[in-house]
Amino acid sequence: MSTRGRCAKVLPSELNKVCPERGDEPATQPRKMSDFEVVPNLQQSSSSVSKSRRKENLISWIPENIRKKECTYFVESSQTSDSGRIVCECGYLREQHLDDAAKPPIFLGKEWDPRRHIQEMPTDAFGDIRFTGLGQKTGKYVRVSSDTPPRVIYHLMTQHWGLDAPNLLISVTGGAKNFIMKPRLKNIFRQGLVKVAQTTGAWIITGGSHTGVMKQVGEAVRDFILSCSHKDGDIVTIGIATWGTVYNRDSLVCPMGGFPAEYVLDEENQGSLSCLDSNHSHFILVDDGTHGRYGVEIPLRTRLEKFISEQTKVKGGVAIKIPIVCVVLEGGPGTLDTIYNAITNGTPCVIVEGSGRVADVIAQVANLPVAKITIALIQKKLSILFHDTYELFTESKLVEWTKKIQDIVRSRQLLTIFREGKYGQQDVDVAILQALFKASRNQDHFGRENWDHQLKLAVAWNRVDIARSEIFTDDHDWKPSDLHPVMAAALISNKPEFVKLFLEQGVRLKEFVTWDTLVYLYDNLAPSCLFHSKLQKVLLEEREHTAGSKMPRLQMHHVSQVLRELLGCSTQPLYPKPKHTERPRLSIPVPHIKLNVQGSSLRSLCKRSAGRVTFTMDPVRDLLIWAVVQNCKELAEIIWAQSQDCMAAALACSKILKELAKEEEDTDTTDDMLALAEEYEHKAIGVFTDCYRKDEERAQKLLTRVSEAWGKTTCLQLALEAKNMNFVSHGGVQAFLTKVWWGKLCVDNGLWRVITCMLFFPLLYTNLITFREKRLQPMGCLTRLRAFFTAPIVIFLMNILSYFTFLLLFAYVLMVDFQPMPTWREYLIYFWLFSLVCEETRQLLYDPDGLGVVKMASLYIKDFWNKLDICAILVFIAGLTCRLIPSTLYPGRIILSLAFIIFCLRLMHIFTVSKTLGPKIIIVKRMMKDVFFFLFLLAVWVVSFGVAKQAILIHNEERVEWLFRGVVYHSYLTIFGQIPSYIDGVNFNIDQCSPNGTDPYKPKCPETNADNKKPIFPEWLTVILLCLYLLFTNILLLNLLIAMFNYTFQQVQEHTDQIWKFQRHDLIEEYHGRPPAPPPLILLNHLQLLVRRGLLRRPATHHKLKEKLEKNEEAALLSWEMYLKENYLQHQQCQEKQNTEQMIRDIAQRVDVLAELLDLDRVKRTGVVEQRLGSLEDQVRQNEGNYPRKVKFFQGLTLDTKEIDLEGRPEESQPPYHVLARNLLYPGSHTLRFPVPDEKVPWEVDFPLYDPPAYSADHKDMAVQDPFTLHPFPGSLESLLKINYNTMDGLIDRQSFHGLYAVQDGLPLNPMGRTGLRGRGRLHCFGPNHALHPVVTRWRRNLDGSIIRKSLKKMLEVLVAQYPLSDVWALPGGSLEPGETLPLKLKWILRREFWPQFQNLLKQGTEVHKGYLDDPRNTDNAWVETVAISVHFDTQNDVEMKRLNSFLQGCDPELCIRWQVLDKRIPLHANHKELLHKVSTLLGAYY
């Protein structure tokens, strides 16, 4: 280990630049941090920069803030190294020390003292660790001093190592040496541990070495990683080991950091040291400057775990204190200490039974009463489970173990025993989580704090199974309003199972979703969400528009602006912009749960009055939109199932998703959005199908009903906007469109009948045409004529007839009657065209929805046929202009001829109504796109061949028109077989060309011989080029075009029917709102419209397919739709169950469950057999032990019955007199009591080993106190002998309420027995220290003054106080000063003028307790005795109670006083809770 190297002597530097000023030393009695207090962060590292930059920061940050320890004074030790060499007291060789450590002048001649001779200096081992020979297993490591503040290590892990704060801390402890576990139990433990870590996002902390329980954890993580193929399967496993016990640690030393450091795992040669486990992800190597000493890391590990458990983790909007749980496998004495310390600190422990040694000892006695856990029982268990090392257990060690195990078992709420047959095969994770919930449930709390805390944990861990089984039980009634904050948290963190659970538990979305709730939800959209970026863009535009420097706060009208872009402008804004600036806010009365994400806090919404809450019109719609814009499939599905207007909701979601998919850059997200959009379209189809089967008329009403919730649009309009062809092509929708197409006519009227009646309208009054409405059936009805000619099909036929007449007349004028001066026929064409222009203008300006001229113009231009109409009209006007000028008459006729072509193309729109021709027109439109792209390919070959041909054949052709002919036109005609005659020279004729290119009607001749005028160009080359050109164009490209047409035809043919049905709607809607008269008579309708709108100012009539229903009718229709939606969802569930794949999965799951049950039954049977064998062995052993006594008894010897009971089976004795007075660690000091098991508490019981330490504190603020030590100075014994016990000693009352107490060696003896500590401790007098505890109560009342009851009993409120430097609440009382009648602590909270009146209240009160008080401060020679007096105010208007409230005060700003509901879980001192129990029993109140 010579590579420790030479390091310059560096004094420890201050860590204040990364640590708060107070340092890491705890205060005397630190106040408990609230659940929502966040520890201030240390200086931030550059976690957001690149990886290389982060490494540079790490190299500079660690040496400045992390230290190691080095021995600076070499002193020979009596022990030697493994190789027999001389070592220092620190365990290192001489050459492994610093150069000046051998002869430091300041330490010369002194004994080795680690406090002075070990010095801190910057660490030299950190970076990445790679285990050679084990693939690419790389982790992080750092060497730290044993005195490193935990906050620095936590900062390193979260800021520099990039670890997310854990949701749970699992501390695994147990045997450090390899031990044997049953294979089944080993598998259960591994799978359960990994499952709980992976599902909750926990950190696992172990000892980090490749032995014992640490190896078991590492192998569990390894197996999980091998079976997991994704990155999310990484589990944070932190090993905290002792640097001086790590084998091959030399390879980790690198002053500038190892990136990576190669580490060899060599178990064969490690000797007494240990290798690091290769399956851990992070290592913290604790250095105290020594070598080969195990356990150095335990204090730092304990402090680090405690520090982490005090941090607040915010995840999914829920802020929780990071919980910690201790998992125990096997283990020895050190493990018992770890369990005891964990239980003492309130950490729940899970003991795995069957793992061996300590774990089995505790597991086997855990269910016994504490009185039955005796020294003899523990001795017997140790002899069985520690058979190899049992002889090392001394009698004092047995006593200590018994005491600790008793204390551990006494805290049953913190102890969970995992038994293989109890929880099942793979439920260690459930046992761990249940242990945390059990500890939280049994923890003292105010109100429902613990239930809230448990629910927060379940949400943070995303364990809905635990929430169902452990939280939502009959033990607690949850109000729906209590769940609102966690409901918001579950939504933000995308936990659909919890959202579903909360809805099952009664959360009403109408009460949950308010205006400010929505703002909060949209504020916390993920930054990667496309909708979030669109919102930011809107906010940025608003800031630029208002010329402000600050980004405006997000409001719902911003969301509405983005939604309108997605839903289309046919919808009205979903969230109108408020006229006033200040709006009411949300009120959620749950102050114990803080939800904050990205700086926004839902808790701030709780501070508004509940009467000012602004609820939204449709909360289900609002939540559904919020979920859909984030592409949260499961969440949206759950919320959609709650919706009332479900069909419109599904179609709107489909539209939103399709629009977002167009802008999404990530391909996978785009595919997911499109798939989800298609799924919602199928939902709408499914619901509509069920509705249409039940009632066709009501189903069709759903299509045209104006939905106020979705921007006053209709389901049909939403489907068209989203281009949901499957929905529009549904038979029910098409039947409705057909019904609209025929107007008031019956749809079974033949087309020939309609045409006949249209041409000869008197036939309408015959039976040739039938109408749907009965009122139109009478023959003489005048409305028949109006009903017939306003039917869209009749309007369409008349317009066709009119249009054909227009085209015939136009063609006649162009070909026959085109005179220099226009004839009446030509004027008629102009008039006809003017009517067409007016109709197009009407369509452009018709705006019943109030969208505006600009938006209507954009919608008008989007239609292809409207573009064609504009083009035809503009060309016609251009031709008309030229035609009216005599000099341009002929060009005018040419332009008008082109206009005629465009007008003829407009006929294709008319044919779209035909089921036969309509699909073919769609195919033609698609093929035109193919031709357009094909021309790009063809142009390459045409131009390349044309240019080469022209350059080879003809020299310097300067005429542009003939250049175009030669390059493009001739090359294009060559494809169709018109090959130029001069290209091969055989058919060359010089008369067909112009030699000099002077003849404008002939091409220029090719290169020829000057003598015989024969062509001289290379014929072989031109022929080859021609052949290649024809090969690629005629064969390759044309066949490619045919293949493209074929593909397009097949592709479109499959969906032709759907596409035709979808586009059919546009034609039907156009003629449904078109004036009935055909052009040019349509001008009469336009004139009528102008009079109504311009002169009479009447609003535009809605001709669109919309219907506004009455409220009652709409409510009934939506209820009917919701009922059928439920049927649809149930049918879908049944289909999923009948699915073959699902059935196979169900069968496989049942087989697995059956196999588990059979396996479990076998385990139980095996366990029963083992239990019976063990019982039989115990009986045999007991009989063998009792046999000598029985022989002596029959020989006439008399034995004391009590002794027999003590040696044999223990008696069922009463509980010990005091428990708190025997806690091993005396409060406010580092003094440890002598362990006193329950059976050794009475002074009458012989206890030869009893040798308690002595401790007496010096109270400088006390005027009267006994000597603070037993023999501090000469004469102190005399002062002790002067004390008069069992009587009044001056002002000090040394009389006990329990009568005379014994005095031994000048010191009184505690009347309740041994405590494990001599002296007076923190009490100021030997013997009884008298106290007074008034219990002031009143009835808990409602606002109306009635008394609140629970379990048929009245509920009390008690006056409690929290004093400075204390983290618990207490009754307002305490120790009595000599000669005083009121405690000092009581005087702190009452004004002086009220003291006499309060004494009168005490005299009138009822004494509920008078005697010994089990107090942690009690000792063998000093104890607390108190008088508890109940002062109860029975009436609400009690004058004394009002005066008491008015005289309550606090002499200290940190002193808190409150009336608190009396409950057994109220967080008071344990002995004070016993007094409250007596008061509640006295008053017959709930406890």
Side-chain angles (χ1 to χ4, degrees), residues 1098-1113:
R1098 294 182 180 178
T1101 56
H1102 286 265
H1103 294 294
K1104 290 193 174 183
L1105 305 178
K1106 290 184 177 182
E1107 184 179 2
K1108 178 71 175 178
L1109 302 179
E1110 296 293 333
K1111 289 186 177 181
N1112 293 336
E1113 184 183 3

Side-chain angles (χ1 to χ4, degrees), residues 668-769:
D668 294 336
T669 306
T670 301
D671 295 340
D672 293 340
M673 285 182 173
L674 293 177
L676 188 57
E678 186 177 357
E679 185 176 332
Y680 275 105
E681 182 182 359
H682 287 313
K683 288 180 185 294
I685 294 173
V687 174
F688 181 73
T689 301
D690 288 353
C691 293
Y692 189 72
R693 288 173 181 171
K694 287 285 183 182
D695 191 331
E696 295 182 9
E697 186 176 352
R698 297 179 80 179
Q700 291 174 355
K701 275 188 177 181
L702 288 172
L703 292 175
T704 57
R705 178 190 67 87
V706 175
S707 176
E708 296 289 340
W710 292 98
K712 297 182 179 181
T713 186
T714 64
C715 290
L716 184 59
Q717 187 64 32
L718 285 171
L720 293 168
E721 290 280 350
K723 296 184 179 179
N724 291 329
M725 295 187 181
N726 291 327
F727 182 85
V728 178
S729 62
H730 187 275
V733 179
Q734 290 300 308
F736 167 73
L737 292 177
T738 302
K739 186 177 177 181
V740 173
W741 180 243
W742 284 88
K744 296 178 181 179
L745 304 178
C746 290
V747 295
D748 55 355
N749 287 313
L751 185 61
W752 66 272
R753 294 182 182 180
V754 176
I755 296 176
T756 304
C757 291
M758 186 178 67
L759 298 177
F760 306 99
F761 66 90
L763 294 176
L764 289 173
Y765 298 96
T766 65
N767 291 327
L768 188 63
I769 293 293

Side-chain angles (χ1 to χ4, degrees), residues 27-96:
T28 306
Q29 279 187 333
R31 290 180 60 87
K32 185 178 180 181
M33 187 182 301
S34 66
D35 283 350
F36 310 106
E37 183 181 349
V38 181
V39 175
N41 284 334
L42 306 170
Q43 72 175 24
Q44 296 294 320
S45 67
S46 303
S47 57
S48 60
V49 297
S50 62
K51 189 174 180 180
S52 59
R53 182 69 179 275
R54 180 181 297 179
K55 185 186 297 184
E56 294 176 1
N57 290 343
L58 187 65
I59 294 174
S60 61
W61 185 87
I62 284 188
E64 294 178 0
N65 299 279
I66 305 293
R67 299 287 183 265
K68 66 173 182 176
K69 284 191 174 182
E70 292 277 2
C71 177
T72 60
Y73 183 47
F74 183 85
V75 177
E76 288 189 13
S77 173
S78 57
Q79 300 178 355
T80 58
S81 65
D82 295 338
S83 59
R85 301 177 63 185
I86 298 175
V87 296
C88 177
E89 288 287 348
C90 67
Y92 285 106
L93 300 174
R94 183 184 297 272
E95 56 267 23
Q96 292 170 342

Side-chain angles (χ1 to χ4, degrees), residues 201-222:
W203 287 1
I204 301 177
I205 295 183
T206 73
S209 60
H210 192 61
T211 56
V213 67
M214 294 80 76
K215 185 176 181 181
Q216 296 285 349
V217 173
E219 291 176 351
V221 174
R222 177 201 63 194

Side-chain angles (χ1 to χ4, degrees), residues 930-931 933-945 972 975 1028-1045:
D930 294 338
V931 170
F933 290 108
F934 171 78
L935 289 178
F936 283 100
L937 296 175
L938 183 63
V940 174
W941 292 94
V942 170
V943 172
S944 62
F945 173 75
Y972 180 73
I975 300 175
L1028 290 175
Y1029 173 69
L1030 292 177
L1031 173 67
F1032 281 98
T1033 54
N1034 254 2
I1035 298 178
L1036 181 63
L1037 292 183
L1038 289 181
N1039 281 281
L1040 174 63
L1041 180 62
I1042 294 171
M1044 292 170 62
F1045 284 166

